[in-house]
Structures are given as structure tokens and as C-alpha cells.
């Protein structure tokens, strides 16, 4: 996405976008815009923090806020006040528009405020200390008014210097990569390694204040003539902050072949800074985070615990991190022997699993290590510096995305070095090779037999990690002195749980965003309360299973498993297509809808982690399959089904609009041209019976899992006014029109698509092509949004017909379409389509059927009211670790039950039996 304009430029950009939009209202592509609503009720919005504590030590927070259609013109400005009515500086910009050109979503950045804040139309207050950006010299200098970072424009140094006033706190911020060309499965001698450094190829200033500035740096890791492992880094600066945030993404483009040892194995991956050390050794302080807000608090030269006592006040001051009085005032038995006290220059904290870290130190390179402690789960926080200033640093999800490591080196010299390892060099090398040999499945018939036994779609060469990505988040502070214990604890908490402002569910509902398919939890009747209990049970169960089953790790954290093996009392982590879920049947949507209606922080954080994972790891971002995701499997990239349904932009929209996260914005924009992927790979090549050769002007694309992924990317680009929004808008409208024009509408199932015109060919003969999967990957939610935004009666009619007849009797289907829909599943999940159609058509009979299918689905996989909604305790020797199980739970059924419950309650909750 192109850089977002600063607030002072919003008006011109927004008016231009709105003007272009009105051309569509006049009839472009044969569509008519819905009449512009009268100015909607636009009361002030109360924003609150997801968790208690407010902003704390974090540099700032950015929140997305939705508005009802027509509430605000595109050039509206906003003001923010605290609970006492005092103005709070805010930077605002649009991130989505309604089709009439009015604001749909706005983003708001703040760098102060601890309690509830009120957002309303008005002129924003300007911060006393503005963020400024100077691009005129050889570096890009960003000042928060407290610290200044000089960012490189080329070369290997990303951040050349971080200064606080005239004091340089850190410098030479760079990326480090250790490559290992082979993995020895047995001890066969020394292993060679190579060291690469990040090389900048491009730098963009995406925002330049006054409250927030964003700088993006792209490049690859380089050694000699070889460049590989692309990175994309964003640096975030907020007004008045002494800290900044880094969002770090890598995309794997190495080579690892199954059955072979040679390849590109990552041995270590990190970010490194040099920290000047100005103070005496006894005034240099080390702080390393342990469990919770626990800290190792030491000095490079410790004067506590000695045989001779320098004095209680001196010892206490060193432990607090304060500058010590002149040694001449100490007990001279200590002062005269300071040279005999060791100086500890090196520290390492290694988190090689989710359940254990070790901490050790040594005096300097070449000397032995001494154990300094350990524990279960470290916070990922560290500090090195002294009384005259120092550098705090932290890696989010440190133990959740193990193996991670923090290093401090040479703190006893003039320059210390700190490294935050996203992949610890002490761990086994990153092995991404495909996990089995295919077992003779060389032909399509043999590969289909794999589906029949392990539920895995296997095809040689398809289980590749080439093109998958991973994003990490880091925080850095430039302190003017060693922080107090209380301040350090705040920094630790900011690393572990970055403060997030949030709009309340009432505003999300009032704005009518996301199709209006959710309402706040309601326990007003026993029947509603029971459903709410079940929803709570399912979320809590998965949250507990993440912990019990240890669904953690650099590439795994954020995903959940697909199906359970009752015999082993274990999720089917090793059985073909039953393992990692990879967004199958939309658990992402279940979680986000659960958050939208409740505002619960624990659900938000769970959904956030899933969005980071599924959008990065389960999708290809480079290579011939860029824009496609991988079906569920033992490894996130293992299954040979590469499809739109997993890369689906729908799964990213919620997090983006709630936070304005630029990285997720990149992912959504990248999908705009993903219809081109159908030239590369036929998603149903193994089950297609008729001859088929991909033709640019006649691609066979389904109206369900294929089109839902495509149209979500187009709709989002159009809403955001991204660089390709006009093309995206045209694709939305042309495909809606040509689906609606099919003899059987959505029931037709698929048609030939023309990449150049963006239209489906209209079939001459009606046919029935309905699958139980077609609508279950975001199509229900997308069609609700499309119908809400685009006045196209024929499309609405086609979708409502699909909704009405999926759960109808075979006789009713045949009477309407000439034949029934065949064998179908997932009636409970489809009950939300009955509910939607009931509201749109004012049909009480459909509302009744929605609840009948929800409660009494004939599909054995669907959850029943009679289910024993409880868990059973399991422990050794039955299970690896003690915990609980609900063997009847599957992620498919959970996602669809959750979505059906939430949407049915919102749409036809007043029609419950």
C-alpha cells in the first residue's frame, strides 16, 4: 500500500477518492449505489484499553474506529479528550470508506492517556513534543521530542544511532543471520556456518507526524555476492516517547530438500545493537527479564555480597541502579581492592522450549560460563547501560515463539553489544524440510488414496516452505539513566502485552460494519444463556488446549489443531490433513466475531496471534504460488492443496480495521491480483473429470471458496482506496453481476472467468454445483457486506436463494432448480444463512428453520444441545501431561457452531423456539 498521508493531507486525498466514488454512483459497470443516507447519528465514542493499566511504558497505540454510513464526510477531523475533558493529542487518518464516500473506518494514534478517552468530531490537539522526520541528509532522522533515531538509507546499518538529547544510547542497529548449509542427523564432524547481514534496498517514510511516524525498511540478508531471506521492517515512533517499536518480517526463500542434508538452514536470526558504556564498571547495570515481571538486577562489577562491606547505602544504591557515591566515601577495605572484583561482561538467556529458560554469564569471551539462574518462561526483556543512560529492549511472544535468546556482550568494555535472537543459535537449526517421502504416491490416483487414509493431499514438490513468512514485534527504550524497578516492570509488561486502545462493541454494532452479523452477548433467557455458556466453553477449551498441548514455537504459535484422536487422547498432530488447522472452516472468523460482540481482551489476543500466523505462515508470499494458502496438514505448508480459501483476505480484515496494522495491510493488498494464480495452479486438478487447460480468458473458478477469497481482497482494496482500488472495485461489481446473471445464480457453482475483463462467462444451461464447503470460508460474511454496500438486486436475490435452499428439503431444491443439491453436510453452520435470509425477506418460517437446523442438525459432526458440554480430566499414563479433553470437539464444528450461534442470536434471537 502506498504511504498513508499525514492528517494535514487527508482532506485532499479523501475528497479525490470520494469524487472518484461518485462516478460509480452514476452508473459505472451498470450498478447503482445505495442512496446516500442522511447524516447518521455520530455521537462521540468512548475508547478504552483492552487491559488495565493504560499506555504504561509503551510508546503509543493506534486504534481503528468505525462509523455509520453517511455519518462523516471524507475530510472530517477528530479530537480526543480524557475523562476530565482535557484535550489529548491524536493523529487521525481514514482507512476505509463507504461506497457513498463517507468515512467507514478511521485510525487514531495516541501517545498519552491512561484511562478512557472520548473521540468526537473536532480539531485535534497538537502534542507539546511532536514527532518530526528529516529526510534531507544521508539518514532519515526521526525525533519524538525526547529521542532521535537516525535511520540508514542504504548499507547494512538500519538504525545508525539512537540519541536522547546529546547522549547516544545505542548505535549500529543491524540484522544478523547465521546460515548452516547442512544438518547432520548424526555426529559426523564440525558443522560449517556462514554469517549474513541485512542490506537495505529501499526506505520509505509512511507517516511523518505529528503524533506518529512510520518508517519502512526493505532488503535482504547479504554476504558477498549472495542475497537472500528478504526482510521488511517498520519502525514506529510516537510523540514524546522515549521508546520505539519494530515490526520485523522475514520471508523464507531458501532451499531445503527432503531426504537431503544440504540447503539453507537458519542457525540464528536476530537484531543487534551496539550500546556505548560510559560509566564506571560498578555503575554499569544489567537487567534481564525472568518470569512475569521478575528481573535479574546486577552490575558489571558487583559490590554486594563481598567479604568486605562498602556500606548498606552503597549496596542498596547499586541494586536500585543509582549512581554510587565517590568510592573515597566507601569503606576503604573495598575501595582499595576494586581491581580484584571480576567484571561480568557477557550474559545469555536462552529459551529453547516453551517451558524452560537458562541464564548464564561470564567475564568475557574465552572464559568459562557461570550459571545465573533459570525458570520456565522468560519475558524476553533486557537492559544494559548505566547511571548516565542505557538501552532497554524486548521481544514479544518470547517463549511462545521459541527458540529465542537474548545476548549481552562486552558490557565491561566501552561498547556493549545486545542481540535479540528470534531464532536462537543454541537451538537446532531451522529445519523446514517436508516430513515424509510420499510413500509411492507418484500418480494422481495414488495421491487420492492418501486423502482416503491420512486425509492428506500429497504431490511431489508441493510441500515446500519457499515463500512463507513470519512477523515478530520488538520494543526499544532509550533511558536517561537505569530505570527503577517499577519502571522496568512497566517496560516488561509493554513488551509482553502491548497496550491496545479499542472501540467498544456498541460502536462496532452501531456502525453496521462487517455485515451487521453480531450483537452483544445476551443472557436474558435460559436458551440464550445456554448458548452463551457454550460459546464461553469452546473458547476456554481451545485456550487451555494451546497450553496443555504446547501449540507454541516460531512457526506454529497462533494456529490450533484440526481434529482429535480419541484412541490416543491426543490431537492428530501427525496424521496428514487432520493436524494444523490453517483456517479450515474459518476459526479466524469465529474468534474475531466473538471479540467484536464482547470486547474481551483474552479473545482479542488469541485472534491476534492467529491472524499473525495464518496470514504469514499458511500463505505463500513469493514464488509461483504467491497469493495462495495451504490446506490443513502436519506442516503448515505440507499439503499439496494450494488455494484461495486459506489466503482469504477476509481473515485479515478484522485485525486490520481494528488496529490499522500496516503489515496486515500489506498482506491484503498483495492479494488484489491473486486471480492470476489460477493460471498457475488448478485448485481442483485432482478431482476434475473433464479435460482442462488454464486459459487466461476462460479460467474455471468456483463461486464459493475461490471467489470468496478473491472478492474479499478486491472489496478491501476498494474500501481502503489502495493503489489498485479502481481495478478492485470493477472486479467486485463485474463478478457480482455475472454471478447473479448465471441461470442458477450461486447454485450454478462455477463458471469461466476472464482475467482481462474481470467477468464470468454466462452459462447457457442451468446446473447445480453446491458443496458444503462453498460458503464456509467467509462467503456468508462477505456477501452480507457486499449486499449492504452495493445496491444490486439481482445479486441479492441470487444469494438469498442460495441461503434459502441449502437447508431446504431435496424436494424443495429439485422443484426450484430441477435437481436437488446431492449429499450435503454442515447444516448447523449453514443455519446462519437461513437466519440472514429470514431477516432480509421478513420470513418467520426461515427464522424457525434456522433454529431447527442449529439445534437439530442431521449432520453427525455438528454440535447438539444434548452434547455433554464438559471436559474430562486426563493424566499419566494416559496423557503426556495432565490436563483435560473433550474428545467430541473438532475445530470445524467449533468454528461453525460459534459463527452460527453468534449470527443467529444477532439476526433472529427474538425468534428462538
Amino acid at each position: 500500500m502506498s504511504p498513508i498521508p499525514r492528517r494535514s493531507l487527508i482532506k485532499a486525498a479523501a475528497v479525490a477518492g470520494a469524487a472518484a466514488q461518485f462516478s460509480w454512483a452514476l452508473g459505472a459497470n451498470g450498478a447503482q449505489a445505495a442512496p446516500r443516507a442522511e447524516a447518521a447519528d455520530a455521537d462521540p465514542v468512548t475508547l478504552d484499553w483492552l487491559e488495565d493499566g493504560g499506555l504504561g511504558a509503551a510508546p503509543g497505540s493506534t486504534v481503528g474506529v468505525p462509523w455509520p454510513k453517511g455519518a462523516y464526510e471524507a475530510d472530517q477531523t477528530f479530537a480526543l479528550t480524557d475523562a476530565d475533558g482535557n484535550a489529548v493529542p491524536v493523529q487521525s487518518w481514514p482507512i476505509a470508506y463507504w461506497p457513498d464516500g463517507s468515512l467507514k473506518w478511521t485510525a487514531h494514534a495516541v501517545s498519552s492517556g491512561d484511562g478512557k478517552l472520548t473521540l468526537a468530531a473536532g480539531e485535534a490537539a497538537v502534542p507539546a513534543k511532536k514527532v518530526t522526520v528529516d529526510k534531507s541528509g544521508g539518514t532519515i532522522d526521526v525525533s519524538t521530542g525526547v529521542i532521535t533515531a537516525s535511520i540508514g538509507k542504504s548499507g547494512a546499518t538500519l538504525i545508525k544511532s539512537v540519541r536522547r538529547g546529546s547522549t547516544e544510547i545505542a548505535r549500529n542497529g543491524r540484522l544478523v543471520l547465521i546460515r548452516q548449509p547442512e544438518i547432520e542427523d548424526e555426529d559426523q564432524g564440525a558443522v560449517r556456518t556462514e554469517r549474513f547481514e541485512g542490506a537495505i534496498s529501499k526506505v520509505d517514510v509512511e507517516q511523518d507526524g505529528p503524533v506518529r511516524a512510520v518508517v519502512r525498511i526493505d532488503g535482504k540478508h547479504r554476504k558477498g555476492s549472495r542475497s537472500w531471506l528478504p526482510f521488511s521492517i517498520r519502525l514506529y515512533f510516537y510523540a514524546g516517547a522515549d521508546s520505539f517499536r519494530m515490526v520485523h518480517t522475514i520471508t523464507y526463500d531458501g532451499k531445503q530438500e527432503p531426504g537431503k542434508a544440504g540447503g539453507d538452514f537458519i542457525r540464528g536470526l536476530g537484531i543487534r545493537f551496539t550500546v556505548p558504556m560510559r560509566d564506571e564498571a560498578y555503575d554499569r547495570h544489567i537487567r534481564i527479564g525472568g518470569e512475569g515481571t521478575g528481573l535479574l538486577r546486577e552490575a558489571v562489577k558487583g559490590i554486594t555480597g563481598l567479604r568486605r562491606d562498602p556500606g548498606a547505602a552503597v549496596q542498596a544504591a547499586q541494586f536500585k541502579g543509582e549512581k554510587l557515591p565517590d568510592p573515597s566515601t566507601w569503606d576503604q577495605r573495598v575501595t582499595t581492592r576494586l581491581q580484584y572484583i571480576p567484571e561480568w561482561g557477557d550474559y545469555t538467556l536462552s529459551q529453547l522450549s516453551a517451558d524452560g529458560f537458562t541464564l548464564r554469564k561470564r567475564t568475557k569471551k574465552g572464559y568459562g560460563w557461570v550459571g545465573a539462574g533459570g525458570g520456565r518462561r522468560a519475558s524476553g526483556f533486557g537492559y544494559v547501560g548505566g547511571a548516565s543512560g542505557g538501552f532497554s529492549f524486548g521481544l514479544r511472544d518470547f517463549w511462545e515463539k521459541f527458540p529465542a535468546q537474548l545476548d549481552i556482550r562486552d558490557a565491561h568494555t566501552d561498547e556493549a553489544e545486545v542481540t535479540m535472537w528470534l531464532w536462537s543459535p543454541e537451538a537446532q537449526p531451522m529445519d523446514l524440510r517436508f516430513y515424509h517421502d510420499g510413500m509411492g504416491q507418484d500418480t494422481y490416483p495414488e495421491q487420492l488414496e492418501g486423502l482416503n487414509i491420512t486425509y492428506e493431499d500429497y504431490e511431489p514438490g508441493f510441500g515446500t516452505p519457499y515463500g512463507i513468512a513470519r512477523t515478530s514485534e520488538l520494543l526499544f527504550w532509550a533511558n536517561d539513566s537505569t530505570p527503577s524497578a517499577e519502571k522496568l516492570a512497566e517496560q516488561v509488561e509493554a513488551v509482553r502485552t502491548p497496550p491496545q486502545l479499542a472501540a467498544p462493541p456498541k460502536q462496532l454494532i452501531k456502525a453496521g460494519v462487517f455485515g451487521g452479523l453480531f450483537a452483544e452477548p445476551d443472557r436474558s433467557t435460559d436458551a440464550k444463556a445456554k448458548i452463551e455458556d457454550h460459546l464461553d466453553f469452546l473458547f476456554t477449551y481451545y485456550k487451555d488446549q494451546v497450553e496443555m498441548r504446547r501449540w507454541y514455537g516460531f512457526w506454529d504459535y497462533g494456529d490450533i489443531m484440526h481434529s482429535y484422536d480419541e484412541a490416543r487422547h491426543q490431537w492428530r498432530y501427525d496424521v496428514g490433513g487432520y493436524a494444523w488447522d490453517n483456517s479450515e472452516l474459518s476459526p479466524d472468523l469465529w474468534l474475531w466475531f466473538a471479540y467484536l460482540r464482547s470486547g474481551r481482551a483474552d479473545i482479542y489476543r488469541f485472534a491476534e496471534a492467529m491472524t499473525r500466523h495464518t496470514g504469514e505462515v499458511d500463505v505463500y508470499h513469493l514464488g509461483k504460488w504467491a497469493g495462495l494458502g495451504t490446506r490443513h496438514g502436519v506442516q503448515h505448508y505440507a499439503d499439496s492443496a494450494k488455494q484461495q480459501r486459506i489466503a482469504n483476505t477476509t481473515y485479515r480484515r478484522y485485525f486490520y480495521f481494528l488496529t490499522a496494522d500496516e503489515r496486515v495491510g500489506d498482506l491484503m493488498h498483495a492479494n488484489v491480483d491473486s486471480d492470476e494464480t489460477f493460471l498457475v495452479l488448478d485448485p481442483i486438478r485432482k478431482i476434475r473429470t473433464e479435460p482442462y487447460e488454464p486459459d487466461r480468458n476462460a479460467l474455471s473458478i468456483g463461486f464459493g471458496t475461490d471467489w470468496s477469497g478473491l472478492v474479499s481482497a478486491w472489496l478491501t482494496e476498494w474500501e481502503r482506496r489502495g493503489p489498485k482500488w479502481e481495478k478492485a472495485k470493477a472486479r467486485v461489481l463485474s463478478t457480482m453481476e455475472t454471478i447473479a446473471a448465471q441461470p442458477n445464480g450461486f447454485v450454478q457453482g462455477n463458471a469461466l472467468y476472464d482475467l482481462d475483463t474481470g467477468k464470468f462467462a454466462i452459462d447457457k444451461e442451468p446446473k447445480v454445483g453446491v458443496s458444503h464447503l462453498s460458503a464456509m470460508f467467509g462467503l456468508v460474511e462477505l456477501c452480507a457486506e457486499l449486499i449492504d454496500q452495493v445496491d444490486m438486486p439481482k445479486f441479492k436475490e441470487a444469494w438469498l436463494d442460495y441461503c434459502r435452499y441449502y437447508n431446504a428439503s431435496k424436494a424443495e431444491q429439485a422443484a426450484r432448480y430441477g435437481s436437488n443439491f446431492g449429499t450435503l453436510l454442515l447444516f448447523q453452520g449453514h443455519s446462519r444463512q437461513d437466519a440472514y435470509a429470514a431477516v432480509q425477506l421478513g420470513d418467520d418460517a426461515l427464522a424457525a428453520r434456522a433454529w431447527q437446523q442449529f439445534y437439530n442438525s442431521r449432520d453427525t459432526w455438528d454440535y447438539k444441545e444434548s452434547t455433554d458440554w464438559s471436559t474430562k480430566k486426563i493424566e499419566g499414563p494416559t496423557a503426556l501431561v495432565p490436563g483435560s479433553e473433550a474428545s467430541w470437539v473438532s475445530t470445524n464444528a467449533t468454528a461453525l457452531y460459534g459463527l452460527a450461534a453468534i449470527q443467529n442470536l444477532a439476526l433472529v434471537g427474538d425468534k428462538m423456539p
Side-chain angles (χ1 to χ4, degrees):
M1 185 179 180
S2 60
I4 299 173
R6 60 186 296 183
R7 191 183 67 80
S8 62
L9 299 179
I10 287 176
K11 182 172 182 177
V15 169
Q21 176 56 32
F22 290 137
S23 68
W24 168 70
L26 296 174
N29 295 296
Q32 293 292 321
R36 182 177 177 119
E38 293 298 321
D41 183 17
D43 292 332
V45 177
T46 299
L47 306 177
D48 205 354
W49 302 91
L50 271 183
E51 292 90 2
D52 293 336
L55 193 57
S61 182
T62 299
V63 59
V65 178
W67 304 102
K69 194 181 305 180
Y72 288 123
E73 299 289 345
D75 58 351
Q76 181 64 55
T77 58
F78 293 91
L80 197 66
T81 54
D82 63 18
D84 297 323
N86 300 312
V88 175
V90 63
Q91 179 174 321
S92 305
W93 63 99
I95 55 175
Y97 301 87
W98 290 101
D100 66 359
S102 63
L103 290 176
K104 185 175 186 179
W105 286 89
T106 51
H108 308 274
V110 301
S111 59
S112 61
D114 292 329
K116 293 183 178 182
L117 303 172
T118 300
L119 182 71
E123 289 298 318
V126 178
K129 296 179 178 178
K130 301 178 185 178
V131 173
T132 60
V133 179
D134 182 357
K135 299 181 285 186
S136 62
T139 59
I140 296 173
D141 294 339
V142 183
S143 172
T144 70
V146 176
I147 65 172
T148 300
S150 296
I151 300 164
K153 295 182 177 179
S154 62
T157 305
L158 276 62
I159 303 176
K160 292 184 176 294
S161 177
V162 180
R163 300 182 303 280
R164 183 161 182 158
S166 61
T167 304
E168 186 176 52
I169 301 297
R171 59 173 171 259
N172 196 19
R174 66 268 194 203
L175 305 182
V176 289
L177 169 66
I178 304 174
R179 171 187 175 268
Q180 184 171 308
E182 57 186 351
I183 288 181
E184 301 292 353
D185 292 327
E186 297 179 6
D187 184 11
Q188 298 178 5
V191 176
R192 296 179 295 116
T193 60
E194 292 181 295
R195 294 182 178 268
F196 291 72
E197 59 185 7
I200 298 169
S201 61
K202 185 181 181 182
V203 181
D204 290 312
V205 177
E206 295 183 330
Q207 280 191 319
D208 60 0
V211 174
R212 186 176 93 145
V214 183
V215 180
R216 175 175 174 171
I217 308 170
D218 291 280
K220 292 185 177 181
H221 296 79
R222 181 179 64 195
K223 178 189 177 186
S225 61
R226 186 184 182 191
S227 294
W228 74 297
L229 200 68
F231 63 83
S232 182
I233 286 174
R234 280 185 172 89
L235 302 173
Y236 293 82
F237 301 87
Y238 286 81
D242 60 358
S243 57
F244 63 96
R245 175 174 175 247
M246 175 187 287
V247 176
H248 170 288
T249 301
I250 57 158
T251 304
Y252 186 81
D253 65 342
K255 184 178 181 180
Q256 295 185 15
E257 295 186 36
K260 298 181 181 180
D264 296 309
F265 300 97
I266 293 175
R267 184 59 184 267
L269 176 70
I271 300 99
R272 178 172 290 163
F273 281 87
T274 298
V275 180
M277 304 297 284
R278 293 169 293 273
D279 300 281
E280 295 291 341
Y282 49 75
D283 279 333
R284 298 181 183 183
H285 306 124
I286 305 294
R287 304 290 186 260
I288 298 178
E291 296 184 5
T293 55
L295 292 165
L296 177 83
R297 297 166 61 189
E298 294 190 351
V300 170
K301 185 189 285 286
I303 49 82
T304 65
L306 300 172
R307 185 179 184 188
R308 304 303 179 191
D309 185 357
V314 177
Q315 292 192 60
Q318 188 177 65
F319 185 62
K320 290 179 181 179
E322 298 172 351
K323 181 175 176 59
L324 300 186
D326 191 293
S328 64
T329 65
W330 307 356
D331 186 319
Q332 290 304 294
R333 292 176 298 174
V334 176
T335 302
T336 57
R337 296 179 175 88
L338 281 174
Q339 65 271 29
Y340 302 117
I341 301 174
E343 295 181 354
W344 300 92
D346 294 357
Y347 288 76
T348 287
L349 185 147
S350 300
Q351 181 89 48
L352 304 185
S353 77
D355 291 302
F357 71 85
T358 58
L359 178 58
R360 64 186 190 273
K361 66 180 184 178
R362 67 183 179 186
T363 53
K364 57 184 175 182
K365 183 179 179 180
Y367 290 78
W369 291 93
V370 174
R376 292 187 67 228
R377 293 168 170 175
S379 62
F381 175 84
Y383 165 87
V384 61
S388 65
F391 195 53
S392 299
F393 48 93
L395 171 61
R396 188 181 180 192
D397 297 327
F398 187 75
W399 59 264
E400 291 93 335
K401 289 165 68 175
F402 75 90
Q405 183 168 313
L406 299 180
D407 284 349
I408 297 172
R409 296 288 184 267
D410 300 327
H412 62 296
T413 70
D414 292 341
E415 292 186 338
E417 186 179 81
V418 300
T419 309
M420 291 131 283
W421 293 103
L422 313 181
W423 188 277
S424 166
E426 296 181 2
Q428 290 294 310
M430 188 187 291
D431 189 350
L432 300 176
R433 293 173 294 182
F434 186 67
Y435 78 103
H436 73 82
D437 62 5
M439 297 168 286
Q441 299 177 56
D442 296 325
T443 66
Y444 279 178
E446 290 172 329
Q447 292 160 21
L448 290 176
E449 287 306 306
L451 274 170
N452 284 329
I453 183 65
T454 63
Y455 200 34
E456 180 173 60
D457 183 7
Y458 172 81
E459 190 170 343
F462 275 63
T464 175
Y466 185 94
I468 67 173
R470 197 53 159 143
T471 290
S472 303
E473 300 176 53
L474 303 98
L475 279 174
F476 305 95
W477 286 264
N479 306 284
D480 57 3
S481 61
T482 298
S484 67
E486 293 74 22
K487 182 66 173 178
L488 288 166
E490 288 185 359
Q491 293 180 352
V492 169
E493 289 171 345
V495 170
R496 289 293 302 153
T497 310
Q500 179 62 55
L501 262 184
K506 279 184 171 59
Q507 179 66 15
L508 304 176
I509 294 165
K510 174 183 174 182
V513 292
F514 303 132
L517 298 178
F518 57 97
E520 290 186 90
D522 180 0
R523 295 179 175 273
S524 61
T525 68
D526 289 344
K528 291 180 179 180
K530 184 171 288 188
I531 293 176
E532 297 291 353
D533 288 343
H534 294 169
L535 289 171
D536 288 347
F537 170 88
L538 290 170
F539 173 72
T540 301
Y541 182 66
Y542 274 88
K543 184 178 176 182
D544 291 345
Q545 287 294 293
V546 169
E547 172 63 9
M548 177 187 173
R549 309 295 179 171
R550 301 304 193 267
W551 294 339
Y552 300 119
F554 183 82
W555 290 108
D556 295 335
Y557 179 59
D559 207 353
I560 55 180
M561 287 282 164
H562 183 279
S563 297
Y564 198 71
D565 183 346
E566 297 182 43
R568 283 190 290 169
H569 304 277
Q570 172 66 277
W571 291 83
R572 302 187 213 180
Y573 72 96
D574 58 348
V575 183
Y578 288 114
W580 291 114
D581 192 73
N582 284 32
S583 298
E584 182 72 1
L585 298 192
S586 306
D588 318 57
L589 296 186
W590 158 53
L591 290 166
W592 280 120
F593 271 84
Y595 167 73
L596 294 172
R597 69 195 297 261
S598 69
R600 283 176 50 177
D602 55 350
I603 298 177
Y604 174 94
R605 298 299 181 186
F606 201 104
E608 176 189 24
M610 182 172 286
T611 301
R612 285 287 190 212
H613 171 91
T614 58
E616 303 274 9
V617 183
D618 299 343
V619 177
Y620 290 105
H621 310 275
L622 292 174
K624 60 184 177 181
W625 296 324
L628 295 176
T630 302
R631 175 183 179 268
H632 44 105
V634 171
Q635 292 164 296
H636 299 287
Y637 46 86
D639 199 275
S640 298
K642 313 297 185 186
Q643 298 184 342
Q644 280 291 322
R645 74 191 204 190
I646 306 304
N648 201 326
T649 296
T650 308
Y651 301 144
R652 329 292 171 225
R653 284 167 55 82
Y654 304 89
F655 182 60
Y656 173 77
F657 287 126
L658 292 168
T659 65
D661 182 86
E662 282 83 1
R663 172 57 188 166
V664 172
D666 293 344
L667 300 179
M668 299 192 302
H669 173 66
N671 282 343
V672 172
D673 293 322
S674 59
D675 50 357
E676 297 279 347
T677 62
F678 287 88
L679 283 172
V680 177
L681 195 66
D682 176 14
I684 60 170
R685 62 196 180 282
K686 295 185 181 179
I687 58 175
R688 191 185 295 279
T689 56
E690 72 278 9
Y692 176 73
E693 287 293 332
D695 179 341
R696 180 174 186 83
N697 304 116
L699 290 168
S700 180
I701 293 181
F703 302 155
T705 59
D706 295 338
W707 183 70
S708 65
L710 295 173
V711 76
S712 64
W714 297 332
L715 174 63
T716 306
E717 183 81 353
W718 175 14
E719 289 175 313
R720 295 172 67 196
R721 300 297 190 271
K724 298 181 179 180
W725 76 269
E726 291 176 303
K727 172 186 175 180
K729 181 189 77 172
R731 288 287 197 263
V732 170
L733 299 176
S734 62
T735 53
M736 288 175 68
E737 289 171 349
T738 50
I739 289 173
Q742 300 297 328
N744 279 345
F746 273 96
V747 174
Q748 197 79 7
N750 63 77
L752 297 179
Y753 173 76
D754 189 325
L755 276 168
D756 294 324
T757 65
K759 296 181 178 181
F760 287 105
I762 309 303
D763 286 346
K764 295 180 179 179
E765 300 295 330
K767 63 183 179 182
V768 171
V770 176
S771 165
H772 61 281
L773 296 180
S774 295
M776 298 295 100
F777 286 81
L779 187 63
V780 172
E781 292 72 24
L782 256 294
C783 283
E785 292 203 59
L786 290 168
I787 289 169
D788 185 46
Q789 297 189 60
V790 178
D791 184 18
M792 192 180 292
K794 290 292 185 182
F795 178 86
K796 181 177 180 179
E797 180 183 345
W799 176 241
L800 292 179
D801 265 5
Y802 188 89
C803 294
R804 289 167 62 197
Y805 284 97
Y806 185 94
N807 275 341
S809 69
K810 290 184 181 297
E812 290 172 315
Q813 293 167 354
R816 169 65 177 83
Y817 292 103
S819 65
N820 64 56
F821 293 177
T823 301
L824 297 176
L825 302 169
L826 311 178
F827 305 108
Q828 187 175 69
H830 283 81
S831 70
R832 67 194 198 269
Q833 291 170 260
D834 291 325
Y836 180 77
V839 171
Q840 293 293 321
L841 297 170
D843 189 331
D844 286 350
L846 277 176
R849 192 176 77 188
W851 288 114
Q852 190 277 331
Q853 292 288 2
F854 179 79
Y855 282 120
N856 302 301
S857 167
R858 58 191 184 277
D859 187 347
T860 56
W861 291 102
D862 290 341
Y863 295 154
K864 307 296 190 294
E865 192 69 12
S866 59
T867 298
D868 178 14
W869 290 80
S870 65
T871 61
K872 296 180 180 178
K873 183 178 179 180
I874 54 174
E875 56 190 1
T878 298
L880 179 66
V881 296
S884 63
E885 70 173 359
S887 60
W888 50 273
V889 168
S890 76
T891 301
N892 278 358
T894 294
L896 296 188
Y897 177 92
L899 286 166
I902 290 167
Q903 294 178 25
N904 290 352
L905 285 171
L907 295 168
V908 293
D910 59 336
K911 306 290 185 182
M912 291 183 73

